[in-house]
Amino acid sequence: MGWIQMQHVIIISCVFVSLFSLGKTESEDVIEALVDFMDKLVPGTMQKPNWGWNISSDPCKNSWYGVTCDTSNTTVKNIALEQLNLSGTVDFESVCEETSLLLLSLKNNNLSGSLPQEVSNCKGIRLLYLNGNRFSGNLPDSFSQLTSLVRIDVSNNELNGSLLDMSRNTGLLSFLAQNNNFAGELPKFNYGLLEDFDVSNNDLTGQIPDDTGRFGARSFAGNPRLCGKVLPNACPLEKKKKNKLHDYIIISGFSVLGLIVFVLVGLLILKKKGNLEDTNIGKRRVESGKDSGVSSESKGGQTRSEFSITSAENGGVSASLVVLSSPVEAVNGLRFEDLLRAPAELIGRGKHGSIYKVLPDGGIPLVVKRIKDWEISRVEFKKRMQRVDEVKHPKVLPVVAYYCSKQEKLLVYEFQQNGSLSKLLHESQNGQIFDWGSRLTIACNTAEALAFMHKELKEDGIAHGNLISSNILLTKDMDSCVSEYGLMVVDNGSKNSNAFNVDVYGFGVVLLELVTGKAVQSNGYDLTKWVNSVVKEEWTGEVFDKVLVVEGASEERMVRLLQIALKCINDVPSMDQVVTMVVSLKEEEERSMASSDP
């Protein structure tokens, strides 16, 4: 080769190297660190071709599998490698020192080993999902140094030791650590700021430090040595408190005794007058109860709830109420007589029955659903309720008690103070903004709950049967839960897929309500027909709720949720298929939020 030819080769090589270097958006150190990170994850049996993740390519421009970059497509921000049967270890040192990750999701793989202290290198990480693996050992202390964390999920692993004090992290919204082997006392969290919290099914001890009452028994269940107001185990009084209480009683004893004597004397004076007035009031209540629709009166003058009249007249009252397993302490020992005596307020009527808010002596408000003319035997009804009670999902409101007679059936639930999804969507919100993220969360929660219940109750043929937005309730934490599961038997659906298809269709209609903000039947039009017609005319943008448009919600993701809704209505896939689509959309939304943050 001549000198001139050699010069040409050298020049071309230099140009090629220069162009290649300019084509890369991330530095060589970052790419090398990411490749080392992937090498240690060791892909298992679920191999995927063309993953990228090699030193000669670029993670942003060459679309490495599971990698998302920032809006300028120059910096790696999210890594999501989920359900890939990865079986190695996580090299936090490599992935965190060189990158500026906002999201790392490795959930539902087969990863093992302990979590190293080097996790503290992920200074800017906001979303960390390590759930559904085989991680063991303690949570490293450095976790508490991740003050940018918004959501962390280490549930369903084999972790042990103590939980960490995360009170320094004032931005933490979600902490999930259920189904591990954590022990010791619960540390402090900013419970008032958290949206999701779950440490159930561990070996924690002592008193729940949550004095806000925002999280119920489900968040702490499965820890036999944990105590608190929301759990069956009451915490013992401290010795100092006992002494103070004892001293107080001694000091104020004479005052209390004098007050009691004074009250007794007053009662004796008023007794005769009271007996006379009670008789007259009882007569007036009997007459007014005939037209009330909410409550009626017995001949003795005691208030009876309307739903109790038929039941009481058929006898067998005392042994008729069946109390199921319930996290509501006040329900334990509840008798039918308690429901009869309790004040009842009619809060809703539907084609399948009426709903009452009842306040027994225990002070915990309950809801009684009264169903009339349901053609199902007592034996079948009992079997159905017990089977539904066996299948628990945190987003399905459990029946806490039931009653069955020939004429009617009663279901008892814990009262949810924030009403229903229907009310939130279609009635006055008092200035409360129902944003896109919240709607997507409710869609995801409902889909996961239905898919779980369908799977567990498939052989029994028990579907929801009446899934509508008024049967999706909001807890005190504004978390959603599906109510009245299994109360309706769908025609021709006892042992085949028809009953479950009805649920999928109903879920599709709920999604339409979430996207459009419109009621199912309003102003003479049918929501499903209207949406189908608008989409057919290619005016899809016209269907979206104006609140979401003003908010700036992603039109692309709103369109995708609309497509899922129409697929549920027109094609009726299985709930397993539906939940995959909805969860994928929600996770994409979370990644987008993380990548848009500074």
Side-chain angles (χ1 to χ4, degrees):
M1 181 182 295
W3 171 245
I4 295 176
Q5 289 178 313
M6 186 174 293
Q7 280 184 317
H8 288 165
V9 171
I10 293 172
I11 292 171
I12 292 171
S13 299
C14 291
V15 170
F16 177 80
V17 170
S18 299
L19 289 173
F20 182 77
S21 299
L22 288 171
K24 288 194 174 185
T25 57
E26 281 285 17
S27 69
E28 295 290 343
D29 290 340
V30 171
I31 295 174
E32 185 176 347
L34 290 171
V35 171
D36 288 344
F37 170 74
M38 173 58 79
D39 287 343
K40 291 179 182 177
L41 290 177
V42 188
T45 57
M46 190 177 177
Q47 295 285 351
K48 280 186 174 292
N50 302 321
W51 274 20
W53 291 85
N54 57 71
I55 200 70
S56 61
S57 63
D58 182 79
C60 294
K61 289 195 172 182
N62 298 112
S63 300
W64 287 11
Y65 183 85
V67 172
T68 306
C69 297
D70 61 0
T71 52
S72 62
N73 208 32
T74 58
T75 306
V76 173
K77 289 296 183 183
N78 303 336
I79 296 177
L81 300 169
E82 303 167 353
Q83 301 182 32
L84 298 174
N85 199 28
L86 302 175
S87 56
T89 56
V90 183
D91 185 1
F92 283 104
E93 185 173 6
S94 293
V95 76
C96 291
E97 279 190 354
E98 301 292 343
T99 65
S100 53
L101 280 183
L102 296 176
L103 176 146
L104 177 61
S105 180
L106 302 171
K107 65 182 180 181
N108 299 325
N109 282 291
N110 196 29
L111 301 170
S112 59
S114 59
L115 299 174
Q117 293 288 346
E118 286 76 12
V119 70
S120 61
N121 293 327
C122 297
K123 297 291 186 184
I125 198 162
R126 294 170 59 83
L127 307 172
L128 183 58
Y129 302 118
L130 303 174
N131 48 303
N133 285 286
R134 294 189 299 114
F135 291 118
S136 58
N138 298 348
L139 279 180
D141 296 338
S142 53
F143 257 92
S144 60
Q145 300 171 22
L146 300 178
T147 54
S148 296
L149 267 179
V150 175
R151 301 187 187 279
I152 177 172
D153 190 345
V154 293
S155 61
N156 298 295
N157 278 289
E158 299 169 11
L159 296 165
N160 53 42
S162 301
L163 289 172
L164 301 174
D165 184 344
M166 302 290 287
S167 57
R168 289 177 54 194
N169 189 333
T170 56
L172 191 65
L173 298 179
S174 176
F175 183 85
L176 304 177
Q178 67 268 27
N179 301 318
N180 280 286
N181 301 307
F182 290 115
E185 295 187 353
L186 266 173
K188 292 182 179 179
F189 285 85
N190 296 305
Y191 291 101
L193 302 176
L194 286 170
E195 292 178 354
D196 299 298
F197 183 78
D198 196 337
V199 292
S200 59
N201 299 319
N202 283 285
D203 191 25
L204 300 169
T205 59
Q207 184 173 357
I208 296 172
D210 175 20
D211 56 358
T212 66
R214 296 187 68 241
F215 300 101
R218 294 189 188 92
S219 295
F220 306 98
N223 294 280
R225 294 186 290 171
L226 205 60
C227 66
K229 291 186 293 185
V230 299
L231 293 175
N233 299 335
C235 296
L237 290 173
E238 295 179 8
K239 191 173 183 180
K240 290 182 179 179
K241 290 183 179 180
K242 287 184 176 181
N243 290 338
K244 288 181 180 179
L245 179 62
H246 181 67
D247 293 342
Y248 176 79
I249 292 174
I250 292 176
I251 293 171
S252 59
F254 288 105
S255 299
V256 173
L257 182 60
L259 179 62
I260 292 173
V261 171
F262 177 78
V263 171
L264 287 175
V265 170
L267 289 174
L268 288 172
I269 294 172
L270 296 174
K271 184 176 180 181
K272 291 183 180 180
K273 182 180 179 180
N275 286 339
L276 180 60
E277 290 183 351
D278 283 346
T279 303
N280 295 330
I281 291 172
K283 290 179 180 179
R284 289 196 297 270
R285 284 179 176 173
V286 170
E287 293 174 358
S288 63
K290 293 177 182 178
D291 299 321
S292 170
V294 176
S295 64
S296 299
E297 305 295 327
S298 69
K299 293 181 180 179
Q302 289 182 319
T303 302
R304 277 188 179 182
S305 304
E306 178 195 354
F307 59 74
S308 72
I309 300 302
T310 306
S311 306
E313 289 174 352
N314 282 278
V317 169
S318 298
S320 299
L321 188 70
V322 179
V323 177
L324 301 169
S325 56
S326 169
V328 186
E329 187 175 350
V331 175
N332 297 326
L334 183 71
R335 300 173 304 164
F336 194 78
E337 293 97 323
D338 299 328
L339 295 181
L340 300 189
R341 287 194 295 263
E345 174 190 354
L346 178 67
I347 58 176
R349 289 189 187 275
K351 65 179 182 178
H352 300 299
S354 303
I355 302 174
Y356 301 84
K357 179 183 177 182
V358 179
L359 189 64
D361 291 339
I364 301 296
L366 301 172
V367 167
V368 175
K369 170 82 173 184
R370 180 192 190 193
I371 305 174
K372 298 187 69 176
D373 304 321
W374 185 10
E375 296 298 327
I376 183 173
S377 69
R378 294 190 191 187
V379 174
E380 282 298 315
F381 179 77
K382 180 179 179 181
K383 181 180 177 182
R384 189 180 186 87
M385 290 299 100
Q386 289 178 339
R387 182 70 185 101
V388 171
D389 181 58
E390 291 171 359
V391 181
K392 297 288 196 301
H393 190 278
K395 303 302 181 186
V396 176
L397 188 68
V399 178
V400 298
Y402 69 86
Y403 165 86
C404 180
S405 71
K406 287 183 179 181
Q407 285 75 21
E408 65 182 354
K409 295 162 184 66
L410 307 178
L411 285 303
V412 183
Y413 296 91
E414 183 181 0
F415 177 70
Q416 304 301 314
Q417 61 190 23
N418 284 318
S420 67
L421 173 61
S422 177
K423 181 179 179 181
L424 183 61
L425 272 170
H426 310 308
E427 298 181 23
S428 174
Q429 299 177 19
N430 296 322
Q432 183 179 8
I433 298 175
F434 191 21
D435 62 15
W436 168 246
S438 300
R439 300 187 195 201
L440 201 53
T441 297
I442 288 177
C444 189
N445 289 347
T446 305
E448 289 178 329
L450 283 176
F452 176 83
M453 299 299 282
H454 281 192
K455 180 180 178 181
E456 295 297 318
L457 295 170
K458 183 178 181 180
E459 295 300 320
D460 304 275
I462 302 177
H464 187 289
N466 187 34
L467 183 70
I468 51 180
S469 57
S470 59
N471 279 337
I472 299 173
L473 303 183
L474 302 171
T475 67
K476 62 183 179 181
D477 305 320
M478 293 303 289
D479 201 3
S480 62
C481 60
V482 177
S483 71
E484 300 190 14
Y485 191 95
L487 296 199
M488 293 296 106
V489 177
V490 180
D491 293 340
N492 302 319
S494 58
K495 287 290 182 180
N496 56 48
S497 62
N498 289 349
F500 301 106
N501 287 349
V502 170
D503 283 359
V504 176
Y505 181 92
F507 178 69
V509 175
V510 170
L511 291 185
L512 288 187
E513 291 184 73
L514 288 170
V515 171
T516 66
K518 299 183 183 297
V520 178
Q521 297 283 347
S522 178
N523 299 325
Y525 74 89
D526 179 273
L527 179 60
T528 56
K529 292 181 180 179
W530 177 72
V531 172
N532 271 310
S533 65
V534 173
V535 172
K536 186 177 180 180
E537 296 295 329
E538 298 183 353
W539 296 343
T540 302
E542 296 297 318
V543 307
F544 298 133
D545 191 344
K546 296 299 184 289
V547 172
L548 299 179
V549 176
V550 172
E551 174 195 334
S554 166
E555 183 174 351
E556 177 188 350
R557 284 185 281 277
M558 286 196 291
V559 168
R560 284 177 57 190
L561 191 63
L562 176 63
Q563 290 170 340
I564 295 171
L566 294 176
K567 189 175 184 65
C568 290
I569 292 168
N570 300 324
D571 301 333
V572 194
S574 70
M575 275 311 303
D576 280 339
Q577 294 172 312
V578 175
V579 77
T580 300
M581 292 186 285
V582 177
V583 170
S584 175
L585 182 60
K586 184 174 185 297
E587 290 176 345
E588 184 179 320
E589 176 74 16
E590 289 182 344
R591 295 188 197 109
S592 176
M593 289 176 60
S595 63
S596 64
D597 289 337

